[in-house]
Amino acid sequence: MLPPETLAQAQALLTKLQRLELTLATAESCTGGLIAGALTAIPGSSATLLGGFVTYSNAMKTKLLGVSEDILEGVGAVSEACARDMAAGALQVASADIAVSCTGIAGPDGGSAEKPVGLVFIGVARRGMGTEVKRFVFPGDRAAIRAATVVQALKLVERVADA
């Protein structure tokens, strides 16, 4: 369950997107749909949120979002390149104005020295403006990492909407 302040953040973002007449799509891996869940917890979100993709496996990232197999085999699913492809793919498939993606290691296992638990890449693509990806290393347990990812994803969408 997301805290009330995250739901208030989602409400404010939806209000802004509706005012700007912008639509949104999500492409999630490590959050398993929590970004879309935060947005759809708000009544009226369907005016803005077109849909979301939960692409936990590499095969689904490629099949649904067009993530390059070369990226997945080369730098891996937890990478800037993968987050970029996920956001661009969601933007195209959903025909949205903005798409947000996330891919990371929420733990407790799966981390390494190169890619520690808490490493998350969040991408935001806006039609006609390209894609921006940010790298984060969030502290805490699995729930804390996933919750922090939602907060930062919503912040990045808001910043791109203002551009």
Side-chain angles (χ1 to χ4, degrees), residues 67-119:
V67 174
S68 165
E69 290 182 9
D70 290 341
I71 287 172
L72 296 170
E73 292 171 8
V75 293
V78 180
S79 65
E80 178 180 341
C82 183
R84 185 175 305 281
D85 268 17
M86 287 173 68
L91 190 74
Q92 180 179 1
V93 173
S95 297
D97 297 307
I98 299 174
V100 60
S101 68
C102 65
T103 182
I105 304 169
D109 303 318
S112 66
E114 184 180 293
K115 294 183 179 183
V117 169
L119 175 65

Side-chain angles (χ1 to χ4, degrees), residues 1-15 24 28 31 33-43 45 122 138 143-158:
M1 191 74 184
L2 293 169
E5 56 270 17
T6 302
L7 297 178
Q9 180 188 11
Q11 170 73 68
L13 175 61
L14 287 168
T15 299
L24 178 65
E28 304 180 61
T31 51
L34 282 177
I35 298 169
L39 294 165
T40 59
I42 309 304
S45 59
I122 301 172
F138 297 117
I145 291 164
R146 295 171 78 215
T149 301
V150 172
V151 168
Q152 289 302 320
L154 296 175
K155 284 182 182 179
L156 287 174
V157 170
E158 182 173 10

